[in-house]
Amino acid sequence: MRIAQNSWLRVSNYLKESPYHDMAVIAIGSIESHGRHMPLGTDMLIPDKILELMEQKTDILIAPTLPYGATDQLMGFPGTISLGLDGLTLVLTRITDALYRYGIRKFIILNGHGGNIKTIESVGLGLHKKGSLLALINWWLIAGELNPAWKGGHGGAEETAGVMAVNPDYIDMDQITQPQLLKNDIGDALPTIGFNNVAFKGGTISIPREAHNYSDNGWIGPDAPTQATKEWGQEMLATMADYITDFIEAFKQAPLPTP
Ligand SMILES: [Zn+2]
């Protein structure tokens, strides 16, 4: 049941009658660079597609997808739009407060972006204190756990395959430059090895900075997007839709905390 496509009366009846009356799914994305070859909306497009596949299997309440997330680090790439941690905290708190008012006590967040995790977990802790549960599903991490061959990083093959399953026209494969090199903007003694991270004597140290300082691309990897195929994406997103549908049944049985 999509909130946006139904009247308040239909939603009201659903909340009285559905076996899933105290549950809702909210997808959260991010509008940010994923490299020269991928759309800025990657992190919302993939969760949206998973929701579309889930809708054929479960009648859970689906709130409209929040396209924006917290992505201050990618602001150097045109088109990137960030709510910041504070903005996302406010927006997600307001959304969950509204749903709480209508009886939702089990929130499933289908997340498309790593930078949103801290905020979602913090809002989840607040909901737990109010007698609710929030389950955070970081689709790309779980997909990599379910099938290690799918595991991928920012703008790599996993996300590229996911977008191919949404619409291959959104991908410009000829824009992928190989090899992808991260610049050692902190000096060669502290080589960049991923978002924020530099390597030092076998350890990983985080030095927060905007990503355009060490990438002229926005694809951070480590995996190469050239490996992606539409078939991979289709199988992966279908698997995620089945996985979340099964999770909903298990989560439905979970006892609520005492506020
Ligand atoms: Zn992404």
Side-chain angles (χ1 to χ4, degrees):
M1 156 77 75
R2 295 254 186 186
I3 289 179
Q5 280 85 340
N6 288 280
S7 68
W8 73 263
L9 190 59
R10 286 191 201 171
V11 171
S12 175
N13 288 335
Y14 172 94
L15 292 169
K16 279 178 209 145
E17 293 157 11
S18 168
Y20 304 102
H21 61 92
D22 68 345
M23 305 177 81
V25 178
I26 309 163
I28 305 183
S30 180
I31 303 298
E32 66 180 37
S33 163
H34 278 78
R36 297 171 186 274
H37 68 294
M38 284 181 82
L40 289 145
T42 292
D43 291 346
M44 60 163 266
L45 291 167
I46 296 174
D48 252 352
K49 185 69 185 178
I50 296 171
L51 287 180
E52 198 183 302
L53 298 169
M54 277 169 55
E55 254 187 312
Q56 298 156 19
K57 301 163 187 289
T58 176
D59 188 34
I60 195 164
L61 194 71
I62 300 174
T65 297
L66 179 60
Y68 304 109
T71 183
D72 290 356
Q73 285 174 336
L74 286 156
M75 286 298 292
F77 297 95
T80 299
I81 299 172
S82 177
L83 293 178
L85 294 174
D86 51 350
L88 182 60
T89 301
L90 179 62
V91 171
L92 186 57
T93 302
R94 291 293 176 94
I95 292 170
T96 52
D97 278 356
L99 293 170
Y100 183 95
R101 175 172 173 163
Y102 308 124
I104 303 301
R105 295 294 180 269
K106 290 176 179 171
F107 300 85
I108 297 171
I109 307 295
L110 173 52
N111 182 36
H113 170 57
N116 295 341
I117 292 174
K118 276 185 209 161
T119 303
I120 296 166
E121 287 180 343
S122 148
V123 171
L125 190 58
L127 284 165
H128 191 270
K129 289 179 192 160
K130 289 168 63 179
S132 300
L133 292 172
L134 177 149
L136 170 55
I137 296 191
N138 296 310
W139 79 262
W140 74 101
L141 297 178
I142 294 174
E145 288 176 321
L146 299 181
N147 182 349
W150 292 342
K151 200 168 187 291
H154 182 81
E158 183 186 27
E159 286 190 309
T160 302
V163 173
M164 283 175 167
V166 176
N167 188 338
D169 292 345
Y170 295 168
I171 305 283
D172 298 322
M173 287 304 267
D174 58 344
Q175 289 295 326
I176 299 169
T177 46
Q178 290 267 42
Q180 179 250 29
L181 292 172
L182 297 176
K183 278 182 270 179
N184 295 335
D185 60 315
I186 308 289
D188 288 341
L190 300 172
T192 303
I193 54 168
F195 266 117
N196 290 338
N197 292 338
V198 298
F200 182 66
K201 292 193 171 182
T204 300
I205 293 178
S206 175
I207 301 182
R209 59 215 198 274
E210 289 194 346
H212 65 275
N213 288 290
Y214 49 83
S215 169
D216 61 2
N217 189 314
W219 152 40
I220 311 292
D223 53 328
T226 39
Q227 305 304 313
T229 63
K230 186 179 176 183
E231 291 68 33
W232 166 357
Q234 285 172 330
E235 192 192 343
M236 180 171 67
L237 300 198
T239 299
M240 283 312 301
D242 286 342
Y243 177 86
I244 300 168
T245 303
D246 290 347
F247 173 74
I248 288 168
E249 296 306 316
F251 197 39
K252 191 161 165 275
Q253 308 303 326
L256 287 171
T258 314

